[in-house]
Amino acid sequence: ERTSRVDRDMAHALASARVLRLCARPVVPKRAQTRRFAVRAGRHPRRRPFFNPRRFRVDACKISAPDPIGAQMKARVLVLPLLIVALFPLALADMEPIPGYATTKQTITAGSGPVVAKGDTVTVHATGIVEEGDKKFWSTKDPGQKPFTYQAGVGAVITGWDQGCLGMNVGETRKLKIPAKEGYGAGGFPAWGIPPGGTLLFEIEVLSIKGKGGEL
């Protein structure tokens, strides 16, 4: 009987301790408990997909941004400069040097008859372009303009033009590439839109040649 009483006392003490422990725990609302348990389980309490950042990793090495211009455009961008470099010498292949000068010439249309010589009075059609900006600054063929007349070989015009037209026939059209030192120099010709150090491209057609002995 004494043993039974001790057992009952111990059981009563354990029950009291359990009650005290339960009372000491904070009271958590049922909804909060549900949310906490749902978060632990990896799902939203309203059964929506729950995002756990620990379960989703972004590997920067495996992600590549889409190409903004595309592979074909990249190929064109790489090929275009190579094509220009390859064709540029061909475009200048027909340009002939003028002995003793930096100006080069190219015959576009052949002429016939007398040739331009030093001291001749020559009438031409001419169109001038600044190479750097591909901008036309003068043309005798524009409305309101007329053929240009000058005396050849005596410095009446810029050096590149003066030397580049010698030897042309009547009816001949010639292209001249004139560097700045044989054109308008380091100062350019601002009134005509020619920049300092500008390279000039002229297309000149000989209309008539008046020599010492009269019209040729």
Side-chain angles (χ1 to χ4, degrees):
E1 181 179 357
R2 185 175 180 179
T3 303
S4 299
R5 183 177 299 175
V6 171
D7 292 339
R8 284 197 303 270
D9 292 342
M10 290 181 63
H12 182 72
L14 291 174
S16 300
R18 182 178 297 177
V19 171
L20 291 174
R21 187 175 61 183
L22 291 176
C23 293
R25 292 178 60 184
V27 178
V28 181
K30 184 176 181 181
R31 184 172 182 177
Q33 292 181 4
T34 304
R35 181 178 181 84
R36 183 179 63 185
F37 295 149
V39 169
R40 287 182 180 178
R43 63 179 183 274
H44 197 272
R46 297 183 181 178
R47 298 188 180 278
R48 295 179 183 177
F50 178 73
F51 177 76
N52 186 354
R54 295 182 180 179
R55 297 176 59 185
F56 297 91
R57 295 181 179 179
V58 178
D59 190 352
C61 298
K62 295 182 180 180
I63 296 179
S64 60
D67 190 354
I69 60 177
Q72 293 183 355
M73 186 61 69
K74 276 188 176 181
R76 293 176 184 176
V77 170
L78 293 175
V79 170
L80 185 58
L82 298 177
L83 187 61
I84 293 175
V85 171
L87 295 180
F88 185 73
L90 298 178
L92 299 179
D94 295 334
M95 299 295 288
E96 304 174 12
I98 298 176
Y101 296 91
T103 298
T104 55
K105 62 182 181 179
Q106 177 185 5
T107 299
I108 299 175
T109 304
S112 60
V115 299
V116 176
K118 183 177 180 179
D120 290 340
T121 300
V122 186
T123 301
V124 299
H125 267 313
T127 299
I129 297 173
V130 179
E131 184 184 45
E132 285 77 8
D134 195 24
K135 179 181 178 181
K136 181 177 70 174
F137 61 88
W138 176 59
S139 177
T140 59
K141 297 181 180 181
D142 287 344
Q145 297 292 327
K146 60 181 181 179
F148 178 71
T149 301
Y150 73 102
Q151 190 174 8
V154 296
V157 291
I158 57 177
T159 303
W161 174 323
D162 208 13
Q163 298 300 318
C165 289
L166 293 177
M168 289 182 69
N169 299 102
V170 174
E172 181 178 344
T173 301
R174 183 176 288 185
K175 181 178 180 180
L176 302 176
K177 182 176 181 180
I178 305 174
K181 65 180 181 179
E182 295 177 3
Y184 289 98
F189 196 161
W192 279 11
I194 300 173
T199 301
L200 307 180
L201 301 176
F202 273 101
E203 185 174 300
I204 300 174
E205 177 188 359
V206 176
L207 302 177
S208 66
I209 302 173
K210 186 178 180 180
K212 299 180 181 63
E215 191 75 23
L216 298 178

